[in-house]
Amino acid sequence: MRPLSSSQREAVEEATASYQAALTVDAARYLTARGISREAAVTHRLGVVIDPMPGHTRFTGMLAIPYLDKDGEALQLRFRCLEDHDHRAAFHGKYNSIAGDPVRLYGVQSIHHAARESHPEIHVTEGELDRLVLEQLGLHAIAVPGAALWRGHHAITLAGFNKVWVWGDPDDAGADFTNKITRSLRQAKGVVLRDGDVNETYLKGGAAAIFALIGRKEPPPWE
């Protein structure tokens, strides 16, 4: 993956800071309804596209999700439509990327944090907001930005972990996502979700419902 130039980094960082400062009340309510805390939104620099930067006009009004490096600086942005409507009819997806951006793992900071533990584990979710829920609960987690976007080099990135938990959505695409990862990493294990995706499971049953799925009662201590 080609590194970003200094000018590209500056542009992404400027956009991220602008959108973070413009986080709206409606967006905050949306995140709360998905189980995302204010602290998590601030920590992960979520925002809203109110005054779009060049090339971002079609994302106006959407939630801006920055992909941060291990030092918290933005590398690229993804956008989530906050409207409850037919996204295809509106000529966009529920989630949207900038043309030409590479497929990255969301939450690479967690890889660095988890790798410091004596028996390192990592959780892989199908989507950014699911990852934020697990992080809030004390689990080191990363996300793939879509069920079909797991890549071979992602397996190399996670090869050193003792256990890789895979949280695919409870549908056909989620099953394919889980199967693809468990085939590429022998230490990977799929988590069987029955009450919807990670967000929905958490909203229905709280932290206990999440930890029950991996055979735990309490979150592991951060090291």
Side-chain angles (χ1 to χ4, degrees), residues 80-125:
R80 206 285 187 193
C81 181
L82 297 173
E83 298 293 330
D84 184 14
H85 63 193
D86 184 338
H87 302 292
R88 286 189 178 183
F91 302 104
H92 60 238
K94 181 185 293 185
Y95 285 87
N96 303 271
S97 299
I98 297 171
D101 273 356
V103 176
R104 299 179 187 273
L105 293 174
Y106 176 67
V108 295
Q109 313 98 308
S110 293
I111 295 175
H112 295 274
H113 294 154
R116 301 189 190 115
E117 298 184 350
S118 55
H119 299 284
E121 294 187 359
I122 196 81
H123 297 256
V124 184
T125 67

Side-chain angles (χ1 to χ4, degrees), residues 7-212:
S7 61
Q8 288 173 318
R9 276 184 171 270
E10 288 171 4
V12 176
E13 180 61 33
E14 182 181 357
T16 298
S18 174
Y19 302 154
Q20 183 181 13
L23 188 68
T24 62
V25 172
D26 286 344
R29 287 173 179 160
Y30 166 82
L31 292 169
T32 300
R34 296 293 299 270
I36 309 299
S37 70
R38 180 183 183 279
E39 181 181 2
V42 171
T43 299
H44 298 285
R45 306 185 64 189
L46 304 183
V48 174
V49 183
I50 299 299
D51 184 14
M53 301 295 283
H56 295 179
T57 301
R58 68 189 183 97
F59 308 123
T60 299
M62 293 187 184
L63 183 72
I65 306 172
Y67 277 52
L68 309 177
D69 66 13
K70 64 182 179 64
D71 299 315
E73 294 186 6
L75 298 173
Q76 68 185 50
L77 285 156
R78 283 247 295 168
F79 305 90
R80 206 285 187 193
C81 181
L82 297 173
E83 298 293 330
D84 184 14
H85 63 193
D86 184 338
H87 302 292
R88 286 189 178 183
F91 302 104
H92 60 238
K94 181 185 293 185
Y95 285 87
N96 303 271
S97 299
I98 297 171
D101 273 356
V103 176
R104 299 179 187 273
L105 293 174
Y106 176 67
V108 295
Q109 313 98 308
S110 293
I111 295 175
H112 295 274
H113 294 154
R116 301 189 190 115
E117 298 184 350
S118 55
H119 299 284
E121 294 187 359
I122 196 81
H123 297 256
V124 184
T125 67
E126 184 189 332
E128 296 92 346
L129 299 187
D130 283 351
R131 181 251 170 182
L132 294 184
V133 168
L134 296 186
E135 280 281 317
Q136 288 177 178
L137 300 180
L139 298 171
H140 298 298
I142 57 171
V144 179
L149 295 178
W150 174 260
R151 299 289 185 259
H153 65 272
H154 295 157
I156 297 172
T157 302
L158 303 182
F161 288 93
N162 288 17
K163 176 67 74 76
V164 177
W165 297 94
V166 186
W167 300 75
D169 291 350
D171 54 24
D172 290 343
D176 289 343
F177 172 79
T178 299
N179 289 336
K180 186 180 292 186
I181 298 176
T182 54
R183 285 197 303 266
S184 62
L185 288 165
R186 63 181 181 180
Q187 72 273 43
K189 179 179 177 60
V191 178
V192 180
L193 288 161
R194 296 185 177 87
D195 296 320
D197 62 18
V198 172
N199 280 145
E200 292 163 335
T201 301
Y202 175 64
L203 290 172
K204 288 179 180 179
I210 296 294
F211 288 110

